[in-house]
Amino acid sequence: MNIIETTEELRRTLAPVRGRERIAFVPTMGCLHEGHLGLIRKARRLADIVVVSIYINPMQFGPNEDFDAYPRTFEQDSALCEKEGVDIIFHPHNLYPVDGIKVSLRVSELDGCLCGASRPGHFNGVVTVVNMLFNIVQPDIAIFGEKDWQQLAIISRMVSDLHMGVEIIGAPTLRENDGVALSSRNRYLSIEDRSKAPRLHEALQSIQNLLEQGETQSSKLIELGKARLADAGITPEYLEIRNAVTLQTANTIDAPCRVFIAARIGNTRLIDNIPLEHATDRESDRIIEPATETLL
Ligand code: PAF
């Protein structure tokens, strides 16, 4: 495995294989856990060369979010990548000009809801850095986790709006046996918080179950989900059903939709989402192909 710190060296290393071998890219901010390893394994299955970037992107942190406190665990991350057969770790020190970035990307509409609503500017930082990384790595495919569905939807739309030649592939959320979605934040849960955490997925699942029983009105489905959460003493920051591609509110479940949740358990903010599907059209492993999905 090659650990590369500069754009020039990465370009030099990939030049001989470009166009001849399929390059898969998994962008990360490090602190890798099983969820990331799932993305890497999917990349490994789909491509000849796997590039993982580890870069904590300052532009996606808000003024009240602690960029300096973000965990940095490079030694452990690189050992995990090595074990998973990653070919290249791209670990740049800084991707931004010293006098500050003057030209960047801006998301509209898609970032006004869900996590974007409470993190103004966050997704501008994400698309700007992902665009930089795509320009540097020039992968054939890039893998993103479905747990951060809003990020996946925005990046898919970026690739389609800006005619980028990268195929975006979503990887399903990996879960503990009790349904809790894998996340680097789970480590901050106390024992008591951890025992409450499965309630989020249970609430999402209860909504899916009610849909399968024939209820297609979002308001009714959300009412049930909120009641389930209230039983566990949880008030969600949001619990919403939205179109999976446009992220617009869905009043009824007649197009591909997902139910999204964010809630604080103790001091830890957790997010999750699942697809809402009528019993007849369930999918387990979905691939987002923006060119077709944006038409839905
Ligand atoms: O999901 C993340 O870890 C980050 O938002 C990403 C995509 C690596 C961009 O910094």
Side-chain angles (χ1 to χ4, degrees):
M1 187 180 70
N2 229 333
I3 297 174
I4 296 182
E5 293 186 346
T6 66
T7 301
E8 296 69 32
E9 195 190 337
L10 185 74
R11 288 219 170 99
R12 242 193 341 269
T13 308
L14 287 175
V17 295
R18 221 177 265 301
R20 289 169 357 139
E21 296 195 78
R22 198 166 154 83
I23 301 173
F25 178 43
V26 182
T28 80
M29 299 210 297
C31 197
L32 303 183
H33 54 73
E34 270 301 313
H36 294 107
L37 303 187
L39 308 184
I40 293 173
R41 285 173 198 147
K42 185 154 192 165
R44 192 62 288 163
R45 284 199 302 278
L46 295 174
D48 307 302
I49 308 277
V50 175
V51 181
V52 172
S53 65
I54 296 180
Y55 179 64
I56 305 173
N57 170 34
M59 194 178 161
Q60 70 191 75
F61 287 78
N64 304 323
E65 297 173 355
D66 201 349
F67 166 74
D68 292 324
Y70 197 87
R72 284 145 171 93
T73 54
F74 185 74
E75 293 307 312
Q76 194 185 311
D77 294 342
S78 55
L80 288 170
C81 285
E82 175 99 66
K83 208 160 147 233
E84 293 300 330
V86 167
D87 298 290
I88 297 173
I89 294 181
F90 180 48
H91 184 48
H93 290 297
N94 178 29
L95 291 175
Y96 289 86
V98 280
D99 60 347
I101 190 156
K102 311 291 185 222
V103 180
S104 59
L105 292 182
R106 196 175 67 82
V107 180
S108 61
E109 294 177 30
L110 295 172
D111 66 341
C113 60
L114 302 174
C115 290
S118 58
R119 301 185 76 185
H122 167 73
F123 286 108
N124 293 340
V126 170
V127 289
T128 298
V129 83
V130 170
N131 183 35
M132 286 179 185
L133 290 164
F134 282 0
N135 288 337
I136 296 166
V137 178
Q138 294 175 39
D140 297 289
I141 61 174
I143 323 280
F144 292 86
E146 291 185 354
K147 185 170 146 309
D148 294 311
W149 186 272
Q150 187 173 20
Q151 169 169 285
L152 172 61
I154 289 174
I155 287 168
S156 299
R157 187 63 196 236
M158 167 183 85
V159 163
S160 121
D161 283 6
L162 303 182
H163 303 275
M164 297 174 160
V166 183
E167 187 186 348
I168 303 301
I169 297 182
T173 303
L174 296 181
R175 299 180 181 281
E176 306 276 4
N177 288 340
D178 60 6
V180 173
L182 297 189
S183 161
S184 38
R185 294 195 175 177
N186 294 350
R187 73 180 66 190
Y188 303 124
L189 295 167
S190 67
I191 292 174
E192 195 195 330
D193 296 341
R194 179 63 188 75
S195 68
K196 260 188 175 186
R199 298 305 190 97
L200 302 195
H201 184 244
E202 276 165 32
L204 302 183
Q205 211 50 59
S206 69
I207 289 176
Q208 167 64 28
N209 295 344
L210 188 58
L211 173 68
E212 281 176 22
Q213 286 160 32
E215 179 56 72
T216 57
Q217 292 301 310
S218 293
S219 56
K220 292 272 187 278
L221 296 166
I222 292 297
E223 207 176 289
L224 170 79
K226 285 198 171 155
R228 282 290 152 79
L229 292 166
D231 292 343
I234 298 169
T235 311
E237 183 186 300
Y238 60 73
L239 176 66
E240 293 175 14
I241 297 176
R242 290 183 173 266
N243 181 289
V245 177
T246 65
L247 302 184
Q248 283 177 355
T249 310
N251 295 325
T252 54
I253 316 302
D254 47 16
C257 286
R258 296 185 82 90
V259 54
F260 297 89
I261 189 170
R264 250 173 217 288
I265 309 278
N267 291 326
T268 311
R269 184 176 176 279
L270 299 180
I271 60 168
D272 201 349
N273 71 88
I274 59 167
L276 286 184
E277 287 159 343
H278 296 279
T280 44
D281 51 38
R282 267 175 179 271
E283 269 178 58
S284 57
D285 198 9
R286 50 188 45 232
I287 292 181
I288 285 212
E289 281 157 337
T292 50
E293 289 238 352
T294 47
L295 298 176
L296 291 170

